[in-house]
Amino acid sequence: MKFELSQRFFFEAAHTLDRSIDREGSLRVHGHTYWAEISVAGVPDPVTGMVVDLAYIRREIERVRDALDHRFLDDVDGLGPATLEGLCAYLWRQFRPALPHLSRVEVWREASGDRCRLTDD
């Protein structure tokens, strides 16, 4: 059997965004509460019974979350434009080396209902 194991976290951050619609408000510094969820998939280890130890996932989340929480996303190295797509790709690149069974990254803003999902398909 193959399992998918997920862990959710949030971070508060500000950014600007150069876009053609709602341009004026987007160019001003503004912030959001972002939610993210990362998932790993695989077959549990026969000795531990786990795909990945959740404590290990939580440790990686704290490392990556520290780079984003209460930050100005425009200044985060390697992020690029602070879109939902950009955040998904950034999180994927940050987690993948430590979590080789990474299968999905989702980022959303609960207040607006916007959501982005990146999978390994």
Side-chain angles (χ1 to χ4, degrees), residues 20-73:
S20 57
I21 298 174
D22 296 331
R23 183 174 175 81
E24 184 179 330
S26 295
L27 286 173
R28 288 193 301 263
V29 175
H30 61 284
H32 303 283
T33 300
Y34 292 95
W35 285 91
E37 184 172 287
I38 62 167
S39 301
V40 295
V43 177
D45 180 275
V47 175
T48 66
M50 296 180 275
V51 175
V52 176
D53 188 324
L54 279 172
Y56 186 69
I57 293 174
R58 288 185 191 114
R59 185 175 71 191
E60 289 302 308
I61 285 173
E62 284 310 308
R63 177 185 65 79
V64 174
R65 185 177 181 272
D66 186 57
L68 299 172
D69 191 41
H70 288 86
R71 307 285 182 179
F72 184 52
L73 297 178

Side-chain angles (χ1 to χ4, degrees), residues 6 11 21 29 49 52 55-56 58-59 68 74 81 87 89 97 99 109 115 120:
S6 300
F11 56 96
I21 298 174
V29 175
V52 176
Y56 186 69
R58 288 185 191 114
R59 185 175 71 191
L68 299 172
D74 297 31
L87 284 164
L99 300 171
R109 297 184 315 229
R115 180 181 294 261
D120 67 352

